[in-house]
Amino acid sequence: QPQHGAFPELIEQANAGILFKAGDAKALADAWESLLADPAKARELGRNGRAAVEERFSLNKLAEQLLELSKGATEASLVQS
């Protein structure tokens, strides 16, 4: 991913990718080349990415977060009443 926006933080937290200088086609090509030259590393990054997504963004996790938000909103409205 480009070293821009939220990508550096996401990549670092999940240990699931390689960053390259945004807008630099050679840097992108070099990043791809490094992954193609090291399939084990590419698989590891892929596994890490999948685990991070399943842990943080699965339907169950999103449902848990929505339930917590709705509980908080309900409690807040009861306090204000």
Side-chain angles (χ1 to χ4, degrees):
Q1 295 295 331
Q3 292 174 326
H4 182 62
F7 293 122
E9 182 180 353
L10 292 170
I11 296 297
E12 181 182 322
Q13 286 181 5
N15 188 27
I18 295 176
L19 295 168
F20 66 93
K21 184 179 176 187
D24 185 338
K26 181 169 179 354
L28 174 58
D30 291 344
W32 272 107
E33 184 177 13
S34 73
L35 289 174
L36 292 171
D38 190 350
K41 180 69 172 178
R43 283 191 296 277
E44 176 188 358
L45 294 174
R47 284 191 300 270
N48 292 349
R50 181 180 181 112
V53 167
E54 289 175 348
E55 178 183 313
R56 297 180 186 134
F57 304 110
S58 70
L59 288 178
N60 286 341
K61 189 63 172 179
L62 293 174
E64 290 172 12
Q65 292 171 345
L66 181 58
L67 183 59
E68 287 300 314
L69 285 171
S70 65
K71 283 181 184 177
T74 302
E75 291 170 3
S77 68
L78 291 175
V79 170
Q80 292 177 356
S81 297

